[in-house]
Amino acid sequence: MSLRRRRYHRAFLPRCVILMMAMFAFTVAALFKTTYLPVPGSPGQRLALHCIAPERPTHKSVLFIHGASFPTRLAAGYEFSPGDSWMGFMARQGFLACGLDFLGFGESSRPPAMLGAADAAAPVTRAAEAADEIALAVDYLQKQPGMKTIHLVAHSWGTIPATAFAASHPGALKSLTLFGPIVPGRPDDDAGSEHPAWFALTAQERLEQLRFKKVLPAGKQLLDPAVEKRWAAQFEASVPHVTGDKPGVLRIPEGPNVDISAVGTGAYPYDPKALKLPLFVVYGNYDVVVNDSGAKAFLARFSASPLKWQLRLDDGTHVMHLEKIRRSLYASVNAFISATELAP
């Protein structure tokens, strides 16, 4: 059928069918429910917890933890089309699928230091603070009616506070998945430098970084077309503009970069031997922060884990959840989580 003929048939769809299609798309997109959790000891500060509920009541949930620069709705909650997100996929598998925005990101509050000069305060949102924020989200999920198991899925820098939380809260989680974890041995470009409270970035600059042109073979493009079309504009809209900043400048918390520098030298804010739950490390063959040998050595540190999986997916970078291979990532993580659900 030619393109012209397809347009002809669509033009003559009954108006009621077109209306139903539009209503369905709106309904799917509206499945996100955001709950705001107050942060103890920080008056006026609150965390945004985005959730998609499954069709039927459930006893299991998965909590997604974002990385160092963009929040839930641009990561695991990014909708490539209405209803098509990693969180939506997990909800269709029967999980209450949630994603947490750390302070300084997405729909969560901006700490006062984010509004002042970058060099006027300490780096915002360090791993220890983020681990405490994860604890608030997990506590909320544990209190949901009938909730029995919680699985944590973290990406990039988010794997640091996620593992810190898991290691210090035995029994709180059923499993831990680390997607593109930061492993030791990476060169520290920021060694010895001063870290501000926040750093400036534009959405277009971040999109260009996500293309990984210096890593991929010439001409190879892995980002999903929907990311190329809409992601940058949505990222820019997710960050409040501060009066006086240049148009398009986004203020991003610097704390994660401090943690990444420390971890590169092997200084983690947790004891890996304290982690006593199933652990999955998954990454792409073009990932710039972890490879086969790095993942193997990293996993070996968690000697008390009763189940450890390691998986490399080809044709994926550090942001596979935004790439064409994303559904293989979804299925792989779901397979691991399902295996742990079957365990006693």
Side-chain angles (χ1 to χ4, degrees):
M1 182 181 290
S2 70
L3 289 174
R4 178 176 297 179
R5 190 174 180 184
R6 279 201 291 268
R7 288 197 295 267
Y8 174 89
H9 278 275
R10 183 174 179 180
F12 285 86
L13 282 173
R15 293 189 62 179
C16 62
V17 174
I18 295 175
L19 179 61
M20 289 176 64
M21 291 169 62
M23 290 177 64
F24 174 75
F26 177 82
T27 301
V28 172
L31 287 177
F32 276 94
K33 176 185 177 182
T34 301
T35 299
Y36 295 95
L37 309 175
V39 180
S42 299
Q45 298 287 291
R46 60 182 191 171
L47 298 170
L49 183 65
H50 310 280
C51 294
I52 302 177
E55 289 185 357
R56 297 181 177 86
T58 184
H59 66 273
K60 55 188 182 180
S61 62
V62 58
L63 175 60
F64 287 94
I65 303 300
H66 65 73
S69 59
F70 50 91
T72 297
R73 295 298 300 269
L74 277 299
Y78 184 72
E79 292 193 299
F80 299 86
S81 61
D84 180 12
S85 68
W86 194 355
M87 287 175 59
F89 172 85
M90 292 306 294
R92 289 190 291 276
Q93 311 313 306
F95 293 86
L96 173 62
C98 299
L100 176 67
D101 286 346
F102 290 116
L103 287 181
F105 294 90
E107 294 185 36
S108 289
S109 300
R110 268 40 182 187
M114 293 286 292
L115 302 178
D119 59 359
V124 172
T125 309
R126 294 293 306 276
E129 301 160 351
D132 290 340
E133 294 169 19
I134 292 174
L136 294 174
V138 170
D139 180 68
Y140 171 84
L141 292 176
Q142 289 174 331
K143 293 176 180 177
Q144 299 310 297
M147 191 58 62
K148 295 180 180 179
T149 60
I150 300 172
H151 301 267
L152 201 57
V153 178
H155 174 231
S156 190
W157 163 78
T159 64
I160 303 172
T163 309
F165 167 80
S168 60
H169 292 77
L173 303 173
K174 185 70 172 178
S175 75
L176 175 63
T177 294
L178 305 180
F179 157 40
I182 313 297
V183 302
R186 299 176 61 252
D188 184 5
D189 298 331
D190 296 326
S193 62
E194 293 291 328
H195 288 274
W198 52 269
F199 68 96
L201 181 73
T202 70
Q204 201 59 46
E205 286 172 342
R206 190 65 183 109
L207 177 61
E208 183 61 25
Q209 293 169 354
L210 299 184
R211 294 182 176 123
F212 287 98
K213 290 182 178 179
K214 294 181 180 180
V215 178
L216 298 178
K220 196 174 189 68
Q221 298 178 350
L222 298 182
L223 285 178
D224 188 284
V227 175
E228 291 284 4
K229 291 178 181 178
R230 301 189 303 273
W231 190 92
Q234 291 170 312
F235 182 30
E236 182 169 344
S238 76
V239 181
H241 182 73
V242 177
T243 302
D245 286 351
K246 294 180 180 179
V249 168
L250 313 179
R251 294 188 175 195
I252 310 297
E254 174 67 10
N257 289 328
V258 182
D259 297 322
I260 291 171
S261 294
V263 165
T265 66
Y268 285 88
Y270 58 81
D271 178 5
K273 296 184 180 63
L275 190 83
K276 299 179 180 179
L277 75 164
L279 177 63
F280 182 27
V281 170
V282 58
Y283 52 97
N285 64 318
Y286 292 113
D287 200 313
V288 294
V289 303
V290 60
N291 55 23
D292 292 342
S293 60
K296 182 178 180 180
F298 179 73
L299 271 174
R301 294 170 172 241
F302 298 92
S303 56
S305 172
L307 175 67
K308 291 185 282 189
W309 282 22
Q310 176 182 339
L311 177 65
R312 183 197 70 224
L313 294 174
D314 286 352
D315 281 338
T317 72
H318 192 59
V319 292
M320 287 192 294
H321 54 334
L322 299 178
E323 297 175 341
K324 300 168 188 175
I325 189 124
R326 60 191 174 86
R327 290 188 177 85
S328 292
L329 174 65
Y330 301 173
S332 301
V333 174
N334 182 55
F336 170 72
I337 289 176
S338 297
T340 66
E341 282 283 325
L342 295 174

